[in-house]
Amino acid sequence: MNNPAIADPLHPITWPEGFKAAASFTFDVDAESCTIAHDPTSTRRMSLMSHQSYGPKIAVPRLLAILARQDIQATFFIPGFTAESYPDVVRQIVDGGHEVAHHGYLHEPMQGIDAATEASYIDRGLEALAKVAGVRPVGYRAPWWELNWHSPGLLADRGFLYDSSLLDGDAPYRFAVAADDPRDIVEIPVDWTLDDWEQYAFYPGVTGSGVIESPAKVLEMWTLEAEAHHSQGSCFVLTNHPFISGRPSKAVALEQIMERVKAMDGMWVTTMENIARHTKATVTEVHTHARIEVPVFPGAGAQFKPAVVRQGVLA
């Protein structure tokens, strides 16, 4: 790039020797779970169910072949229900040397649920991944990227190393699970620009605008994003859904972006777990997140509790 991007000033990070930026290719293997969670009656729609099952049945094997050809280790966020429904596919992911991470049990709607209910979803997902693949994941991505303020504490209680659901940075950072809690976890931020859902997702009456973008346009956009992250030394995280980006032309474009990212000088292409472990071991600053309380609306104003930064201990 002629004009290098300006680095995230709040979350400085250095990468392992020989690397100047990082990238991770991640896949949310939702399959039928996301449509069922949105509307349980969707199970009556045979065509819709076939649209979702394309992910584990056709797309995941295709994507695994692409990843093997590109010699890339990826991170697969898998709902527990998907693991139970397609155990052989999950085992193929593990056998391919990829990271398996947590993505709820049935891709449950998370907004506004209480801590006990959310804990039950997390625990059921953990049980399913352990039973199917013998995996105890260290990473979590909330369905629809929707964390609650109590979510980080639940993750810390269960020994998670990192989350990837927040959108307030370009580089990984450590954050306190609560203002008065000494524990922290790593956040690896995401961005809707780098999610295939916003580019390709469409099913009548379920989601999307009906405009399905050209893979050529998406490749250009994601290349620009990767170049910017590379130039500013941050972390490029691409989120794909197999039932979307595992379709033929989209999969071809996805492999092309992999090739372009790999060719960037000093780009560390690795799993989210490796990025999180490096962050935990090298970053000392621990952030909190600003909180806004609005007791009554309108007319009563709002209370803003700013974020702070404290010093933590290296892992």
Side-chain angles (χ1 to χ4, degrees):
M1 299 181 69
N2 294 329
N3 297 308
I6 298 172
D8 177 344
L10 192 61
H11 308 119
I13 191 168
T14 57
W15 300 106
E17 185 175 356
F19 298 108
K20 61 184 181 183
S24 192
F25 292 92
T26 73
F27 299 89
D28 293 0
V29 193
D30 296 344
E32 295 94 339
S33 66
C34 59
T35 52
I36 296 172
H38 178 71
D39 178 8
T41 66
S42 65
T43 58
R44 304 171 189 170
R45 302 175 64 179
M46 185 176 183
S47 293
L48 173 57
M49 291 296 98
S50 72
H51 180 265
Q52 300 304 117
S53 68
Y54 183 93
K57 290 170 61 178
I58 307 300
V60 170
R62 175 178 290 145
L63 294 168
L64 289 175
I66 289 171
L67 290 165
R69 185 159 59 199
Q70 293 299 322
D71 193 24
I72 289 176
Q73 286 186 311
T75 297
F76 288 78
F77 291 91
I78 305 177
F81 181 76
T82 298
E84 291 175 345
S85 301
Y86 301 96
D88 291 343
V89 173
V90 177
R91 294 186 192 110
Q92 288 173 31
I93 292 169
V94 174
D95 291 345
H98 304 287
E99 178 190 2
V100 168
H102 197 299
H103 196 42
Y105 175 73
L106 194 62
H107 206 279
E108 298 86 355
M110 306 299 287
Q111 187 173 358
I113 65 173
D114 61 76
T117 301
E118 185 170 349
S120 71
Y121 296 159
I122 296 172
D123 289 340
R124 193 172 183 186
L126 287 171
E127 292 168 5
L129 293 174
K131 181 179 179 180
V132 169
V135 170
R136 177 76 182 194
V138 299
Y140 177 80
R141 175 172 285 166
W144 288 289
W145 290 347
E146 192 70 49
L147 281 190
N148 297 297
W149 290 105
H150 55 249
S151 304
L154 298 177
L155 298 178
D157 290 343
R158 288 153 180 80
F160 280 91
L161 169 66
Y162 75 88
D163 169 71
S164 184
S165 309
L166 301 179
L167 302 96
D168 60 346
D170 299 328
Y173 62 90
R174 293 169 60 180
F175 76 98
V177 301
D180 56 351
D181 194 318
R183 300 175 299 170
D184 67 89
I185 61 176
V186 171
E187 179 62 32
I188 307 178
V190 288
D191 176 11
W192 284 110
T193 307
L194 293 173
D195 190 310
D196 65 351
W197 190 278
E198 295 306 297
Q199 305 304 315
Y200 299 133
F202 175 70
Y203 198 91
V206 177
T207 190
S209 64
V211 177
I212 299 174
E213 299 290 354
S214 162
K217 175 259 188 181
V218 176
L219 176 60
E220 178 188 32
M221 182 177 69
W222 288 349
T223 298
L224 291 171
E225 290 291 325
E227 289 174 345
H229 279 282
H230 176 257
S231 72
Q232 70 180 29
S234 57
C235 188
F236 172 84
V237 177
L238 187 63
T239 300
N240 286 280
H241 299 77
F243 72 88
I244 298 174
S245 283
R247 299 276 176 175
S249 67
K250 301 175 184 67
V252 170
L254 179 58
E255 184 165 16
Q256 289 175 325
I257 188 65
M258 290 178 182
E259 291 174 339
R260 293 181 183 185
V261 169
K262 284 175 53 183
M264 295 177 183
D265 180 51
M267 181 69 95
W268 185 29
V269 182
T270 188
T271 64
M272 300 282 269
E273 178 180 356
N274 288 338
I275 292 170
R277 292 198 183 282
H278 173 77
T279 303
K280 189 78 168 180
T282 60
V283 172
T284 59
E285 291 184 343
V286 177
H287 296 256
T288 67
H289 292 91
R291 295 287 301 268
I292 299 173
E293 301 291 342
V294 183
V296 180
F297 187 85
Q303 300 173 354
F304 181 80
K305 184 175 182 181
V308 299
V309 180
R310 71 185 191 211
Q311 292 298 308
V313 178
L314 297 180

